[in-house]
Amino acid sequence: MGNNRALEALWHRRGKAFREEAFPYFRYMGQSGFPAFMSLFVISSAIGYIGLIRNMPAEFPFTAVGIIALTLVLCWSPLRTWLAAGDAVFLMPREAEMNGYLRLSFRYTTVACSVLAAIVFLLYMPIYSQGPSINGAWLLAAVAAGLKGANVWGAWKERQMSWPGMRRLLRGLRWLMTALTLAAWLTLVLWQAAAYTLLLGLLYMVLYRLPSKHRFPWERLIDEEARTRKRYYAFFGLFIDVPTLPSSIAKRSYLTWLLRIIRYTNRHTFVYLYSASLMRTEMGGIIVRLLFLGCLITYWFAEAVSLSGYGSVITFVVFMGLIAVQLGGLRHVHRYSVWKHVYPLPEKQRIDQFLKVDRFAMLLCTVLLWLFVALPLALSGVYMPSIAAAALAAVYLMIRPGRLRKKLALDEEED
């Protein structure tokens, strides 16, 4: 018992240390104006949601929206363990005593994820009540709670699996079975949905008992914790310099074809370098996801002509700002790299070529976002909001290079 308490105390100390380490960065983030962007996004989303509830179109995809929204929050099951690389040596001899330590991790992450799932569920219920509304809200809440518990259990079993391929396969099946179960409860009567869920549940239990597993997946948990910390620092790095963490590289073949357009010459060294960094690092993945989400939400607001069309302009500005903030972090990618002092690269061209990459990426994202404002509004015979959005975007794109040049100059002075 004493050993278990010592490990639980270690969990609390590590969690407190991470919060104390991260708190100053949250303060810098607050000073950057990012919370203002998020507040604007929340307000515009609330306005759009209220308008949707009041004027629900008859052809609205009630079931599809519920399946997608609820599957995302019910299947997402992270686990913060605060484990580090050295624990595979120093804590592994106490593996049999780690149950209390893990219990705290499960409680910490599951409560937070459950709160998020509850918020999404409560937001969806007014929409569902105007649609088929086959089963009651309390029954669906119980089903959602059961699915959340099943996903937490399944995610833990996946972490224990020895083979990565099997783990990925069963993770995909877990998401698919969750979506199918939600579809059953949203479209079928009680006894049919219950029978279908029982069959899927039995299949779920059988499948997760087949693969070979580790009792305590030390390497998996350590890697997961490292990736989580890296995401935090990548986010904080948009607002202030943070400790350098190893960067992950992704091929992203759907983007790298753009590199073949760049001439492979000394004059375009930094254009190629920054373009490759943008496409292959985690920053590029974040921007792609933001662009996809922004286009989707902007289209919804534009199609509904929310706030006489200006609701889509608000979402356009919000997502354009978020992408701009993310893209601004590109200037820090090679700030401390030693190759700049080893290879005879044209350093004087670096700023101009970086601004060229930033200008092209920002222009491309802005045009794609704007199209999802202009086209739906044009089909509805509304034009002024899209013109206003284009004017705002043009003004920002003109002043952005000058602001970035000043920041790069300040970075040079600090170095």
Side-chain angles (χ1 to χ4, degrees):
M1 182 64 70
N3 290 334
N4 287 337
R5 288 180 177 174
L7 288 173
E8 291 175 9
L10 175 64
W11 187 96
H12 286 293
R13 286 199 303 272
R14 289 183 170 184
K16 182 180 179 181
F18 177 79
R19 288 188 291 273
E20 291 177 347
E21 181 181 335
F23 180 76
Y25 298 121
F26 280 108
R27 187 173 66 250
Y28 288 117
M29 180 196 69
Q31 296 171 354
S32 70
F34 180 75
F37 274 115
M38 292 307 299
S39 299
L40 182 61
F41 173 71
V42 170
I43 292 171
S44 62
S45 299
I47 294 172
Y49 174 78
I50 294 171
L52 177 65
I53 295 299
R54 290 178 176 176
N55 303 288
M56 186 68 66
E59 67 278 6
F60 187 83
F62 298 95
T63 303
V65 169
I67 292 172
I68 294 172
L70 292 174
T71 298
L72 290 174
V73 293
L74 293 178
C75 290
W76 184 55
S77 303
L79 186 64
R80 295 302 307 270
T81 57
W82 320 115
L83 293 176
D87 293 333
V89 176
F90 297 106
L91 287 184
M92 188 177 287
R94 306 180 66 177
E95 181 177 308
E97 305 166 5
M98 291 291 290
N99 290 337
Y101 189 99
L102 270 182
R103 191 181 306 114
L104 291 173
S105 293
F106 276 113
R107 186 171 65 190
Y108 176 77
T109 50
T110 303
V111 168
C113 292
S114 298
V115 170
L116 176 62
I119 292 172
V120 174
F121 179 82
L122 291 174
L123 290 173
Y124 175 65
M125 277 300 99
I127 297 175
Y128 178 71
S129 63
Q130 298 190 47
S133 192
I134 296 173
N135 293 302
W138 288 108
L139 178 59
L140 291 178
V143 171
L147 285 174
K148 185 62 186 176
N151 274 281
V152 171
W153 179 84
W156 170 246
K157 292 299 180 182
E158 290 161 11
R159 292 182 177 96
Q160 291 181 303
M161 291 176 186
S162 305
W163 301 103
M166 182 60 69
R167 185 176 65 255
R168 287 191 289 268
L169 174 62
L170 287 183
R171 181 183 301 161
L173 288 174
R174 172 166 62 87
W175 282 65
L176 176 61
M177 286 191 286
T178 301
L180 291 174
T181 303
L182 286 169
W185 284 98
L186 294 176
T187 58
L188 302 177
V189 296
L190 175 59
W191 71 269
Q192 292 174 330
Y196 188 77
T197 303
L198 179 61
L199 291 175
L200 279 181
L202 292 174
L203 176 62
Y204 183 78
M205 296 290 290
V206 171
L207 287 175
Y208 273 78
R209 291 183 182 276
L210 293 178
S212 58
K213 302 181 184 69
H214 300 291
R215 181 185 179 278
F216 196 97
W218 288 96
E219 292 183 359
R220 188 75 51 212
L221 295 177
I222 291 170
D223 289 344
E224 185 175 351
E225 179 65 25
R227 287 196 303 271
T228 302
R229 292 176 66 90
K230 181 181 174 182
R231 292 190 188 103
Y232 272 100
Y233 283 118
F235 175 71
F236 294 142
L238 301 174
F239 312 104
I240 192 171
D241 290 340
V242 297
T244 303
L245 295 175
S247 59
S248 61
I249 304 299
K251 186 176 181 181
R252 295 196 182 93
S253 54
Y254 58 90
L255 288 178
T256 50
W257 62 270
L258 291 169
L259 291 175
R260 293 194 289 270
I261 301 175
I262 304 171
R263 293 182 181 179
Y264 200 70
T265 62
N266 192 40
R267 291 173 49 201
H268 298 90
T269 299
F270 288 101
V271 173
Y272 190 94
L273 177 68
Y274 281 114
S275 298
S277 300
L278 177 61
M279 295 175 192
R280 293 174 176 170
T281 59
E282 190 173 1
M283 182 189 304
I286 293 172
I287 291 174
V288 169
R289 290 191 291 271
L290 276 175
L291 181 61
F292 175 80
L293 183 62
C295 290
L296 182 62
I297 295 177
T298 301
Y299 173 78
W300 285 344
F301 277 82
E303 187 184 37
V305 197
S306 177
L307 298 177
S308 300
Y310 287 96
S312 60
V313 177
I314 294 173
T315 57
F316 168 78
V317 171
V318 168
F319 277 98
M320 183 180 169
L322 293 175
I323 291 172
V325 170
Q326 290 286 344
L327 189 57
L330 182 62
R331 73 181 194 274
H332 297 303
V333 171
H334 298 290
R335 183 175 178 181
Y336 302 111
S337 298
V338 297
W339 53 260
K340 295 188 295 182
H341 308 289
V342 176
Y343 296 100
L345 296 175
E347 176 66 22
K348 64 180 181 179
Q349 300 177 9
R350 184 177 69 88
I351 294 178
D352 291 335
Q353 293 184 12
F354 164 77
L355 292 176
K356 184 183 294 186
V357 174
D358 180 88
R359 187 183 301 113
F360 176 79
M362 196 67 218
L363 178 62
L364 179 62
C365 293
T366 301
V367 169
L368 288 174
L369 269 175
W370 181 81
L371 287 175
F372 283 84
V373 176
L375 294 179
L377 289 178
L379 293 174
S380 301
V382 179
Y383 300 99
M384 283 305 299
S386 56
I387 295 174
L392 290 172
V395 171
Y396 179 74
L397 290 173
M398 285 190 292
I399 66 174
R400 178 176 172 83
R403 295 175 61 184
L404 280 178
R405 193 180 292 275
K406 291 179 181 179
K407 291 180 180 179
L408 288 165
L410 289 174
D411 292 342
E412 290 289 337
E413 292 177 5
E414 291 177 0
D415 294 342

